[in-house]
């Protein structure tokens, strides 16, 4: 391209667009400045400088254009045809007689394009070729045929495209050809990608609409054909099927009316409507529920007790309570049947009204529905709470279903979700009724003490209606929205501890405690139930291996120490797995009777031994009793003293209540030092440290008061605590021993530990009746009211030369 000189040209601002070199445009001149600029150009060499004005900013680079034609447009406005020639840098302005002129420094494209520019030009040409085919443009192929220079091709793309004005300004101000072509390639690719996306969306929408319309037309044609043939469609079949199921069911009248309304709505609803599926799901649930279906209960009390005894060893209290429930229910049913028969027989002769008397209306007494018994089986893990629920259902000849509530935090899990939610379902109670197949099953609410609560609601509050006999006759699930009679359902609940069950919920339940098994009961359970089950699970035959009670007792006492039998079953499984491995290797040939020595061979050294004798061999250590979530437990309290500032340090992760008990114990010892044979002055100089081992386990409660007092007195007197003695009880500042809870569990824990003497509060003496008689015969019990009596029994005689203080010295 020939060298161009700087020119002074009239300026034509472009407020609404951008003109690029090589393009021909028609502009309307609607202002005096524009008309003056065109007139000045026509009066000279017909050149004018076009400068875009976007958002109040003039571009740095303009386009020198030639005015090819000027005249009046059809709408009466003056117009002009301009052809863009080349770029020019906008310079200084000069006011002339014919208007504003500016210096225009030409910026021509190079005559020879660089290899890089040619390569980019070929790439741009390829992208524009595809874009022209996709958009079916006629101008773009013509541009590709007539333009060869890279810069002119990029300018032609800018003029053809619908790029925003700011991007066209960027293209105009890009004087470097390679950079300009690169920008054009990027924007052309974006336009191609956007076009392909829009086409894909348009195609998918069109295909979906065509498919829906086609399906609709085909279904209408199919319905018309079936109507001509006298057949019915699938939807009509479904409606008639629902009507048949509803008619055959024993739904209450109000429930049946609600179901029929939904069937009528289903008949009017199109299959394409989402509501069609929601209605069918609701009707499926309604027709699947066992309306009016009840199992015949067993009212033979003796047979029911024999079933409970066959399934479980021990657990006398819950068994007695179930038998009582069955007996009361049987008597009430007989009474109701007798009353009903009397009502149906009509009035007797003496009941006929005389002439002239007004007949008295017959007011029938309502028959009672259910007796409202809701049992809560509370006890440590592994004592058989869940399996006892299954046995209760078998004894009553009812269906059994288990509902696990551990970790449930959503109230909708109990009552269900409302039908307005996507994927809504009934709650667990309705699902349990459907699963059981009858309206009078035994429903076991497992782990009710482990329910939570959060922003979604409190499931324990939703259970209040379920477990209230006065309300559950009209239980309403949020999904079904009809009354469901739960009065014939026997609800059983299980929990490890009753303390975490909300008060209103616990008030609706009758607590039956399963405190654990004695040593004899564990041996019997292992012999009668666990051994045969583990033999089968480990691939052995009953004739291959056996074990007598002595062998089983060794496993119970030396390899397990728990309230239940879950760990015992695992230990027996381990024993039989080891034996099965020996049989598989051929080193042992069955049948074999395992003995005490074989237990040590297969299970290794004993895991438990006589710990109290070792721990309490020195003064300052006492044995206490506690209740935890896994049953009763034995804990040791250690006390020591040192010279220093008077005070008390407590360790072992003890709670606030236990800390207060320790402070009370120390205060009692200090205030009654002379009475206990101690020197008050020496005690005042000492700092005491009380530690409860197993520091990783939290401990709390007031029942360790006597144990703490005994440990401190043992330390100060030098008299060790008897190793066969364990104690429990709250202590006061006057030395009174107050009652505690969980005596049975504590006694069973002491017996498992090999302790033979238990000291407990005098006011807990009636609770001793709950302890199994076999345990009471083997152990010695002391019901005491004062801590001084506890010290007389618990402390061993002082050894010669011990640190006990003479009374006269203490008095001084």
């Amino acid at each position: 391209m020939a060298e161009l000189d700087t020119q002074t040209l009239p300026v034509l601002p472009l407020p609404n667009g951008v003109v690029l070199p090589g393009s021909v445009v028609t502009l309307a001149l609607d202002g005096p400045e524009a008309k003056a600029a065109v007139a000045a150009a026509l009066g000279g060499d017909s050149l004018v400088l076009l400068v875009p004005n976007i958002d109040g900013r003039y571009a740095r680079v303009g386009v020198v254009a030639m005015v090819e034609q000027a005249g009046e447009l059809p709408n009466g406005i003056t117009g002009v045809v301009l052809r863009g020639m080349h770029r020019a840098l906008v310079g200084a302005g000069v006011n002339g007689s014919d208007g504003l002129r500016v210096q225009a420094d030409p910026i021509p494209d190079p005559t020879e394009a660089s290899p890089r520019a040619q390569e980019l030009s070929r790439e741009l040409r390829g992208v524009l070729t595809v874009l022209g085919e996709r958009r079916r443009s006629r101008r773009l192929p013509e541009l590709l045929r007539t333009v060869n220079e890279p810069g002119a091709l990029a300018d032609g793309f800018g003029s053809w495209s619908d790029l925003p004005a700011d991007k066209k300004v960027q293209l105009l101000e890009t004087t470097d050809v390679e950079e300009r072509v690169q920008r054009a390639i990027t924007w052309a690719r974006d336009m191609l990608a956007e076009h392909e996306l829009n086409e894909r969306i348009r195609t998918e929408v069109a295909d979906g609409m065509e498919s829906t319309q086609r399906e609709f037309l085909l279904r209408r044609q199919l319905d018309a054909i079936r109507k001509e043939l006298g057949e019915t469609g699938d939807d009509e079949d479904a409606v008639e099927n629902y009507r048949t199921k509803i008619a055959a069911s024993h739904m209450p009248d109000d429930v049946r009316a609600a179901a029929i309304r939904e069937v009528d709505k289903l008949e009017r609803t199109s299959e394409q409507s989402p509501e069609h599926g929601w209605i069918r799901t609701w009707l499926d649930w309604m027709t699947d529920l066992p309306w009016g279906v009840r199992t015949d209960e067993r009212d033979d009390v003796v047979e029911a007790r024999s079933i409970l005894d066959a399934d479980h060893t021990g657990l006398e209290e819950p068994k007695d309570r179930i038998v009582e429930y069955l007996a009361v229910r049987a008597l009430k049913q007989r009474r109701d049947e007798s009353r009903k028969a009397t009502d149906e027989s009509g009035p007797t002769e003496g009941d006929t009204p005389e002439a002239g008397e007004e007949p008295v209306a017959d007011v029938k007494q309502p028959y009672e529905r259910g007796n409202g018994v809701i049992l809560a089986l509370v006890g440590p893990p592994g004592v058989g709470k869940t399996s006892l629920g299954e046995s209760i259902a078998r004894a009553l000849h009812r269906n059994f279903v288990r509902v696990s509530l551990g970790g449930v935090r959503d109230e909708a899990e109990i009552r269900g979700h409302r039908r307005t939610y996507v994927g809504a379902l009934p709650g667990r109670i309705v699902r349990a009724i459907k699963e059981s197949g009858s309206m009078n099953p035994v429903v076991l609410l497992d782990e009710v003490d482990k329910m939570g609560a959060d922003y979604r609601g409190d499931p324990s509050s939703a259970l209040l209606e379920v477990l209230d006999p006065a309300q559950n006759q009209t239980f309403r699930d949020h999904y079904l929205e009809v009354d469901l009679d739960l009065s014939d359902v026997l609800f059983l609940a299980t929990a490890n501890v009753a303390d975490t069950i909300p008060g209103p919920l616990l008030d609706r339940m009758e607590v039956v405690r399963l405190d654990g098994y004695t040593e004899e009961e564990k041996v019997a359970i292992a012999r009668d139930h666990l051994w045969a089950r583990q033999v089968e699970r480990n691939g052995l035959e009953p004739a291959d291996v056996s074990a007598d009670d002595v062998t089983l007792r060794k496993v119970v006492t030396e390899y397990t120490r728990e309230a239940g039998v879950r760990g015992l079953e695992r230990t027996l499984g381990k024993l039989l797995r080891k034996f099965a491995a020996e049989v598989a290797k051929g080193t042992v040939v069955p049948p074999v009777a395992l003995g005490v020595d074989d237990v040590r061979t297969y299970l290794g050294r004993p895991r438990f031994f006589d710990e109290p004798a070792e721990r309490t061999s020195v003064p300052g250590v006492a044995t206490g009793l506690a209740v935890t979530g896994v049953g009763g437990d034995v804990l040791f309290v250690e006390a020591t003293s040192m010279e220093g500032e008077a005070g008390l340090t407590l360790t072992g992760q003890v709670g606030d209540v236990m800390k207060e008990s320790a402070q009370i114990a120390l205060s009692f010892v200090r205030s009654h030092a002379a009475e206990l044979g101690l020197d008050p002055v020496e005690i005042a100089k000492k700092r005491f440290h009380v530690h409860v081992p197993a520091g990783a386990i939290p401990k709390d409660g007031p029942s360790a008061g006597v144990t703490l007092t005994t440990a401190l007195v043992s330390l100060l007197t030098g008299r060790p605590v008897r190793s066969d003695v364990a104690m429990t009880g709250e202590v006061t500042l006057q030395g009174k021993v107050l009652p505690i809870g969980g005596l049975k569990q504590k006694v069973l824990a002491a017996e498992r530990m090999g302790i033979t003497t238990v000291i407990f509060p005098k006011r807990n003496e009636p609770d001793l009746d709950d302890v199994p008689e076999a345990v009471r015969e083997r152990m010695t019990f002391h019901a005491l009211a004062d801590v001084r009596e506890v010290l007389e029994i618990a402390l061993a005689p002082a050894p010669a030369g011990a640190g006990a203080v003479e009374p006269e010295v203490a008095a001084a």
Side-chain angles (χ1 to χ4, degrees):
M1 179 177 290
E3 192 72 26
L4 300 177
D5 298 330
T6 302
Q7 295 174 292
T8 301
L9 300 176
V11 177
L12 179 59
L14 301 177
N16 298 321
V18 179
V19 177
L20 293 170
S23 61
V24 179
V25 296
T26 300
L27 298 179
L29 305 178
D30 53 355
E33 296 179 357
K35 294 179 180 180
V38 172
L42 293 174
D45 52 5
S46 300
L47 296 179
V48 66
L49 181 63
L50 306 179
V51 181
N53 182 4
I54 306 300
D55 296 334
R57 186 185 73 87
Y58 285 94
R60 296 181 296 102
V61 176
V63 173
V64 177
M66 176 171 288
V67 180
E68 293 191 344
Q69 186 179 355
E72 190 172 305
L73 297 175
N75 57 4
I77 300 176
T78 303
V80 63
V81 178
L82 302 172
R83 178 183 296 276
M85 306 297 293
H86 57 80
R87 287 173 173 79
L89 186 64
V90 179
V94 178
N95 280 322
S97 59
D98 53 357
L100 178 65
R101 290 174 175 266
V102 297
Q103 290 184 355
D105 297 329
I107 311 175
D109 290 341
T111 305
E112 295 292 333
S114 65
R116 174 61 178 166
Q118 293 178 357
E119 180 182 353
L120 291 174
S121 177
R122 288 191 293 271
E123 183 177 355
L124 176 60
R125 188 176 294 275
V127 175
L128 293 181
T129 301
V130 177
L131 185 59
E133 293 175 355
R134 298 289 171 84
R135 300 187 65 167
R136 300 177 182 178
S137 172
R138 285 183 288 181
R139 286 182 53 199
L140 199 54
E142 183 180 353
L143 173 69
L144 295 175
R145 286 195 304 270
T146 58
V147 177
N148 296 318
E149 293 80 6
L153 184 62
D155 291 338
F157 162 72
S159 299
W160 167 83
S161 67
D162 52 357
L163 289 173
D166 57 340
K167 288 189 176 181
K168 289 188 177 182
V169 171
Q170 291 181 32
L171 198 65
L172 176 63
E173 292 180 341
T174 305
T175 58
D176 183 76
V177 174
E178 295 180 6
E179 184 180 354
R180 189 191 315 159
V181 177
Q182 183 65 58
R183 286 180 183 271
I185 292 173
T186 302
W187 293 337
R189 284 176 174 171
D190 292 342
M191 291 180 63
L192 180 61
E194 182 181 359
H195 177 77
E196 291 178 347
L197 177 62
N198 292 335
E199 281 295 316
R200 184 166 65 252
I201 294 175
R202 190 181 302 111
T203 302
E204 291 177 356
V205 172
D207 292 345
M209 292 179 62
E210 292 175 1
S211 176
T212 302
Q213 294 173 355
R214 179 172 175 273
E215 182 181 354
F216 177 77
L217 292 175
L218 289 176
R219 288 191 179 278
R220 289 301 180 190
Q221 293 174 4
L222 184 61
D223 291 341
I225 294 172
R226 283 176 170 168
K227 186 176 181 179
E228 291 294 330
L229 295 175
E231 300 177 354
T232 58
D234 293 339
D235 195 42
E236 295 179 3
D237 288 342
V239 170
E240 291 303 320
N241 187 28
Y242 285 129
R243 293 189 188 277
T244 303
K245 288 183 178 180
I246 293 172
S249 69
H250 299 280
M251 295 180 180
D253 293 339
D254 56 340
V255 177
R256 188 187 307 276
I260 292 175
R261 283 197 302 270
E262 292 295 323
V263 173
D264 294 339
K265 188 187 298 183
L266 176 67
E267 196 171 14
R268 298 190 302 268
T269 305
S270 170
E271 289 187 8
Q272 283 73 36
S273 173
E275 193 174 0
H276 185 276
W278 302 342
I279 297 174
R280 292 198 62 166
T281 304
W282 186 87
L283 288 171
D284 288 338
W285 273 100
M286 291 293 292
T287 54
D288 288 344
L289 286 174
W291 301 101
V293 178
R294 286 172 173 79
T295 56
D296 296 330
E297 293 187 29
R298 180 184 286 111
D299 58 0
D300 189 340
V301 177
V302 177
E303 184 180 359
R305 180 59 190 244
S306 64
I307 292 175
L308 294 174
D309 289 336
D311 290 347
H312 290 82
T313 301
L315 305 179
E316 298 302 323
E317 182 181 354
K319 289 180 184 177
D320 292 341
R321 184 63 188 88
I322 294 301
V323 172
E324 293 167 5
Y325 161 78
L326 183 59
V328 170
R329 189 173 181 85
L331 292 176
K332 291 178 68 176
Q333 286 180 346
R334 294 171 191 170
R335 184 197 64 187
D336 291 346
E337 291 174 0
S338 175
R339 182 187 298 171
K340 186 175 181 180
T342 302
D343 293 342
E344 292 175 351
S345 63
T348 61
E349 182 178 351
D351 296 333
T352 305
E354 297 181 1
E357 290 186 5
E358 293 291 336
V360 180
D362 183 18
V363 180
K364 293 185 178 181
Q365 299 294 328
Y367 299 109
E368 297 183 23
R369 305 171 67 183
N371 57 7
V373 174
I374 296 153
L375 301 181
L377 307 177
V378 179
V383 296
K385 299 183 293 296
T386 304
S387 60
L388 183 60
E390 298 179 7
S391 297
I392 292 172
R394 197 161 72 90
L396 298 177
H397 198 259
R398 290 193 184 193
N399 296 331
F400 175 80
V401 61
R402 173 178 169 270
V403 178
S404 178
L405 298 178
V408 172
R409 295 178 175 271
D410 191 354
E411 176 258 353
E413 289 286 336
I414 306 298
R415 289 184 177 274
H417 296 82
R418 299 195 181 276
R419 292 169 62 187
T420 53
Y421 295 105
V422 177
L425 286 175
R428 297 197 179 197
I429 302 300
V430 173
R431 281 181 270 172
I433 298 296
K434 176 187 174 183
E435 182 181 345
S436 67
S438 65
M439 297 299 289
N440 63 337
V442 174
V443 177
L444 182 72
L445 305 175
D446 210 5
E447 310 291 355
V448 294
D449 59 328
K450 296 177 179 61
M451 287 188 298
D454 59 9
Y455 66 93
R456 291 168 292 185
D458 185 359
S460 64
S461 299
L463 279 178
L464 295 179
E465 179 186 1
V466 176
L467 300 182
D468 192 341
Q471 302 180 42
N472 63 10
Q473 297 178 11
T474 57
F475 172 73
R476 186 170 284 254
D477 186 90
H478 286 164
Y479 180 80
L480 298 182
E481 281 297 331
V482 295
D483 291 341
L484 189 66
D485 187 1
L486 302 179
S487 60
D488 288 334
V489 178
L490 174 59
F491 287 101
L492 301 176
T494 68
N496 293 132
V497 291
D499 299 339
T500 56
I501 303 177
L505 184 60
L506 186 64
D507 183 62
R508 284 164 167 77
M509 298 186 291
E510 180 179 340
V511 177
V512 178
R513 298 194 177 274
L514 286 69
D515 295 319
Y517 297 105
T518 63
E519 183 178 311
E520 286 76 13
E521 289 173 341
K522 287 185 177 181
V523 172
I525 292 171
R527 179 186 63 243
D528 300 335
H529 302 282
L530 306 182
W531 182 264
R533 188 158 62 202
Q534 288 300 322
V535 166
E536 180 182 0
R537 289 180 179 178
N538 288 282
L540 300 170
E541 295 293 336
D544 292 344
V545 60
S546 61
D548 55 15
D549 287 359
V550 177
T551 304
L552 296 176
R553 189 179 301 275
K554 184 177 182 63
V555 176
V556 169
T557 57
E558 296 186 6
Y559 293 89
T560 64
R561 184 164 290 170
E562 57 179 346
V565 293
R566 197 167 287 155
L568 174 60
E569 184 172 11
R570 285 194 293 265
T571 304
L572 292 177
K574 179 181 178 181
L575 174 65
L576 290 172
R577 283 197 306 273
K578 300 283 188 182
F579 176 77
E582 297 294 332
V583 172
K585 290 187 292 186
T587 56
V588 174
V589 179
V592 173
L594 297 179
V596 175
D597 296 337
D598 297 320
V599 173
R600 178 63 181 265
T601 301
Y602 291 127
L603 296 182
R605 62 179 182 83
R607 295 181 54 198
F608 302 98
F609 52 90
D610 188 10
E611 193 175 4
E614 176 188 356
R615 300 287 288 273
T616 60
S617 60
V618 296
V621 182
T623 306
L625 300 173
V627 176
T628 66
V630 294
D633 197 7
V634 173
L635 57 84
F636 297 94
V637 175
E638 301 176 349
T640 187
S641 64
M642 62 209 79
E643 298 294 335
E645 182 182 357
L648 176 65
T649 300
L650 279 158
T651 56
Q653 201 174 161
V654 296
D656 293 338
V657 178
M658 198 168 183
K659 291 178 181 178
E660 293 175 356
S661 298
Q663 191 64 53
I664 291 171
L666 181 58
S667 298
F668 172 80
V669 172
R670 294 182 62 181
S671 61
H672 296 78
E675 181 184 352
L676 298 173
L678 304 173
D679 186 357
V681 178
E682 290 296 325
I683 296 177
K685 298 179 182 179
K686 294 182 180 294
R687 181 171 186 84
F688 293 91
H689 185 173
V690 176
H691 176 65
V692 185
I697 302 175
K699 312 167 192 70
D700 204 1
S703 63
V706 295
T707 311
L708 292 164
T709 306
T710 303
L712 290 172
V713 175
S714 170
L715 172 70
L716 294 172
T717 60
R719 298 168 59 186
V721 180
R722 291 169 48 188
S723 61
D724 62 337
V725 172
M727 62 199 74
T728 181
E730 180 180 357
V731 70
T732 68
L733 289 172
Q734 287 75 34
K736 301 299 181 182
V737 180
L738 301 184
I740 44 82
L743 180 63
K744 179 182 177 182
Q745 298 183 51
K746 294 177 179 180
V747 170
L748 294 178
E751 192 232 4
R752 288 194 295 270
M753 190 66 75
I755 293 171
T756 59
T757 302
V758 173
I759 299 173
F760 62 94
K762 180 73 173 178
R763 289 165 59 181
N764 283 110
E765 196 166 10
D767 297 337
L768 200 60
D769 295 338
D770 298 334
V771 179
E773 184 178 356
V775 177
R776 295 201 304 266
E777 292 176 354
R778 288 194 300 269
M779 301 181 70
T780 302
F781 298 94
H782 297 278
L784 306 177
D786 194 283
V787 73
R788 300 168 185 82
E789 300 173 342
V790 175
L791 297 174
E792 292 178 3
I793 296 174
L795 296 180
V805 183
E806 294 296 329
E808 59 270 22
V809 176

